[in-house]
Amino acid sequence: MHEISKKKLSAGINVNSKFPAKLVCSIIIVVFILRVEVSASAMNETKSSEVLCGVGILSKVSHAKHRMLLRETWFQFPSVLNGSLVPRFFIATPSKPASLEKLHSERAKFGDIVICPNVTESYDNLPRQTLESLRYFTTEIRAQYILKADDDVFV
């Protein structure tokens, strides 16, 4: 049996995973659930969240069809519609102005896109996108749990 992996991130965020450390590091391939504990100093208050689970979905600028398919399928589940499950797409900042414009337009229309600042699109930067999702769900949404997924995963 594996021990619980514990990681300490900046801003007082502690991440406990039920998966071994090697598996946690393989975030590109594996979908995992994290129990996130945020210190009161990082949150500036200790209110409990009504959001049960934030779903951080890593995506690419060019995957608009993937995102639309998810919006038309499991984003319509009651748990998403009632707000207890909050899905967000995390996308690296595009280098082309036209791509950034399209992404801003899609974000304005659906409200489910988070553009990761200071993260360029590359395989090596996928962990940075994941860390951005952890930051977002612990500071902006205050979700009790976080599920990391990719845009080709059906939850």
Side-chain angles (χ1 to χ4, degrees):
M1 195 57 128
H2 297 286
E3 294 182 23
I4 292 178
S5 299
K6 295 184 178 189
K7 301 286 181 192
K8 182 138 180 113
L9 305 176
S10 61
I13 299 172
N14 295 315
V15 179
N16 297 325
S17 172
K18 295 181 182 180
F19 297 95
K22 278 188 174 180
L23 190 58
V24 172
C25 292
S26 300
I27 57 175
I28 305 339
I29 301 166
V30 179
V31 175
F32 58 92
I33 298 177
L34 295 174
R35 173 66 171 133
V36 178
E37 298 172 10
V38 181
S39 67
S41 63
M43 287 178 52
N44 294 325
E45 61 184 289
T46 57
K47 286 185 179 179
S48 63
S49 174
E50 293 182 20
V51 175
L52 177 62
C53 185
V55 183
I57 306 160
L58 302 192
S59 188
K60 295 172 73 171
V61 175
S62 60
H63 288 191
K65 288 182 181 180
H66 289 75
R67 293 189 293 277
M68 203 60 219
L69 181 62
L70 295 180
R71 290 180 187 117
E72 293 171 351
T73 55
W74 67 266
F75 279 32
Q76 300 304 311
F77 289 174
S79 56
V80 175
L81 297 175
N82 73 19
S84 62
L85 185 70
V86 177
R88 293 291 185 267
F89 295 105
F90 290 84
I91 303 172
T93 304
S95 56
K96 297 178 183 174
S99 297
L100 185 59
E101 229 175 272
K102 285 182 182 179
L103 200 53
H104 280 296
S105 175
E106 184 180 348
R107 181 173 65 176
K109 183 174 183 179
F110 296 105
D112 57 8
I113 291 177
V114 177
I115 300 171
C116 301
N118 303 318
V119 179
T120 56
E121 193 172 285
S122 78
Y123 183 81
D124 291 337
N125 282 337
L126 289 174
R128 287 183 174 181
Q129 281 180 268
T130 301
L131 287 175
E132 180 60 23
S133 73
L134 293 174
R135 186 212 57 79
Y136 177 84
F137 284 120
T138 56
T139 60
E140 305 291 327
I141 302 293
R142 299 190 178 122
Q144 295 175 31
Y145 294 90
I146 298 172
L147 171 69
K148 183 266 182 197
D150 295 316
D151 60 9
D152 58 354
V153 172
F154 186 85
V155 178

